[in-house]
Amino acid sequence: MLSTMTLLEQALSMQPAQYWHEKLNLNRNALHNARQRGHISPAIAGALADELGEDVKTWIVVAALESERESACKTRMMKRVAKLTSV
């Protein structure tokens, strides 16, 4: 299943958090706070995806869905996004 934490880990495996804070002009705690919450914002997800050469639209959608509270609709849409990206 897609997760913005996977995207964040991919970015952090390439460069340290400080690099991404500077590169994306983020508050110095933005990525730490995202890790604590368990997801990153759609804007940050899109920016990281762009820098990593990933599909920006997909990651923005994943981030938006992750920020939703748990529901049958959220589960359904996360499965749909996963299917679209596995093709």
Side-chain angles (χ1 to χ4, degrees):
M1 180 85 54
L2 289 175
S3 164
T4 56
M5 289 296 95
T6 305
L7 181 68
L8 180 57
E9 291 305 319
Q10 181 183 350
L12 293 175
S13 73
M14 297 173 75
Q15 296 289 340
Q18 184 61 32
Y19 171 86
W20 295 112
H21 289 139
E22 291 172 10
K23 179 83 171 169
L24 303 177
N25 196 28
L26 300 173
N27 174 293
R28 66 186 182 108
N29 294 319
L31 298 179
H32 173 74
N33 292 341
R35 267 188 160 160
Q36 293 290 348
R37 285 191 315 268
H39 61 89
I40 55 181
S41 74
I44 295 173
L48 279 175
D50 188 42
E51 291 294 326
L52 297 173
E54 297 281 335
D55 182 49
V56 174
K57 291 178 188 177
T58 298
W59 285 107
I60 290 172
V61 169
V62 169
L65 287 169
E66 283 181 349
S67 67
E68 292 287 323
R69 66 180 181 190
E70 293 301 320
S71 69
C73 188
K74 175 183 175 178
T75 302
R76 176 182 175 198
M77 295 314 302
M78 288 297 286
K79 287 178 183 176
R80 177 78 169 137
V81 170
K83 280 183 186 176
L84 290 174
T85 59
S86 65
V87 172

